Amino acid sequence: MAFRPQTRRRLLVAGVAGCLTVVLIDQAAPGVTAPVRSAAATVFTPVQEVLSGGDDTVRRLTKERDDARRALGDKTTNSTTLAAVRALRGSAAADGRTFVVAQVIGFTPGTTAGQMRQVTIDVGSSDGITDNLTVISAGGLVGRTVAVTSHSATVQLLTDPAAVVGVRVGADGLLGTASSTAPAGIPSRATGLLTLRIAGLTPAAKGDRVRTLGSIDETPYVRDVPVGTVISVDPDRGQGAPTAVIRPDVDSTRLDVVGVVVPADRVGSRPIVRGER
């Protein structure tokens, strides 16, 4: 609603006069204005408490907000971990095996950018872990334990230059080895890829699946764990045996939840999980 200038001046004068009257009455007879002041305090005090920066209400509300955010973060993390454990338990790598669930808590980078040599996991001798045990993820073979403390273990990854794994290749089960180093005469591989060396003279074929050969007493590697897929076959450059390139099933740069394969009668503080597909 718009007022004419003369009306606005009258309202302003009346408002100022009213305020002066209230002040004079409050000074002369405080008891008369007490109900008004009490009502105003009831209405505006909560607003003042919220707006003031350091009072208990603000601190309480801030704490409740932070607690809610932390609870939401923990719930999300737990859900993600639980989903990863379920995927591991139902994977081909874990099928029919018993293992201890662990999480990656540290890593050792390789000499090449993007390469990984070792990771540290949060289980150790107190969980029944020893060295030379197979480590798997939902994708397949991760590596083997090479050093153990009471509450942690070091895992040598397939991409470590010192790692060599006996494998079977394709439907015919060709014998060979997989490693991150290429033999003399073969160009170096891209980061993360492995070199396959066939033991006989029959070359592998592109698309062949590669799985672990297994070791005596399943130490350090259990058999038939997926390793990767042959993505190319090298031409004969006099390297002495057919070679090829393997793309590993496991991306070692994204490892999180893994399983350490242990005997079913293992004794330790962390429970054993049995893989079932």
Side-chain angles (χ1 to χ4, degrees):
M1 177 183 296
F3 297 100
R4 292 184 300 176
Q6 187 177 6
T7 303
R8 287 201 296 269
R9 282 195 297 273
R10 289 177 178 173
L11 290 174
L12 178 62
V13 171
V16 171
C19 291
L20 290 174
T21 302
V22 171
V23 171
L24 291 174
I25 293 174
D26 187 58
Q27 293 293 323
V32 175
T33 59
V36 177
R37 282 190 272 108
S38 177
T42 301
V43 172
F44 292 109
T45 296
V47 178
Q48 183 182 11
E49 288 180 353
V50 172
L51 295 178
S52 61
D55 61 20
D56 293 341
T57 301
V58 172
R59 283 193 291 271
R60 177 175 57 78
L61 293 175
T62 302
K63 182 177 182 304
E64 291 177 357
R65 180 203 60 189
D66 293 342
D67 290 345
R69 287 178 175 175
R70 280 193 293 272
L72 180 61
D74 291 343
K75 184 178 180 180
T76 302
T77 301
N78 292 337
S79 299
T80 302
T81 302
L82 181 59
V85 172
R86 286 174 174 167
L88 173 60
R89 184 168 179 259
S91 67
D95 187 28
R97 310 186 197 282
T98 50
F99 61 92
V100 175
V101 176
Q103 278 196 295
V104 173
I105 56 175
F107 66 92
T108 302
T111 55
T112 303
Q115 185 186 45
M116 299 279 286
R117 297 184 60 183
Q118 298 177 336
V119 294
T120 302
I121 55 178
D122 65 348
V123 292
S125 58
S126 62
D127 306 292
I129 305 302
T130 63
D131 57 3
N132 283 324
L133 294 178
T134 305
V135 181
I136 59 176
S137 72
L141 182 66
V142 172
R144 66 185 177 103
T145 56
V146 292
V148 179
T149 67
S150 57
H151 298 292
S152 67
T154 301
V155 179
Q156 180 191 58
L157 302 174
L158 291 178
T159 48
D160 188 322
V164 179
V165 182
V167 296
R168 287 191 181 276
V169 183
D172 295 335
L174 298 174
L175 296 176
T177 60
S179 67
S180 65
T181 57
I186 298 297
S188 59
R189 311 301 191 191
T191 301
L193 299 181
L194 304 176
T195 293
L196 169 66
R197 300 189 70 177
I198 297 295
L201 297 178
T202 304
K206 184 177 179 180
D208 279 349
R209 292 288 294 155
V210 182
R211 61 190 188 280
T212 56
L213 173 63
S215 309
I216 297 175
D217 296 331
E218 297 197 325
T219 301
Y221 296 110
V222 297
R223 61 181 301 163
D224 288 332
V225 176
V227 174
T229 302
V230 175
I231 59 173
S232 66
V233 178
D234 296 318
D236 185 0
R237 293 190 175 94
Q239 60 265 36
T243 58
V245 180
I246 302 173
R247 183 182 301 283
D249 289 333
V250 175
D251 182 355
S252 59
T253 64
R254 299 178 186 276
L255 286 173
D256 184 12
V257 175
V258 298
V260 184
V261 180
V262 295
D265 58 353
R266 182 232 51 160
V267 176
S269 57
R270 194 169 293 194
I272 287 179
V273 178
R274 177 175 290 279
E276 296 178 356
R277 298 189 74 182

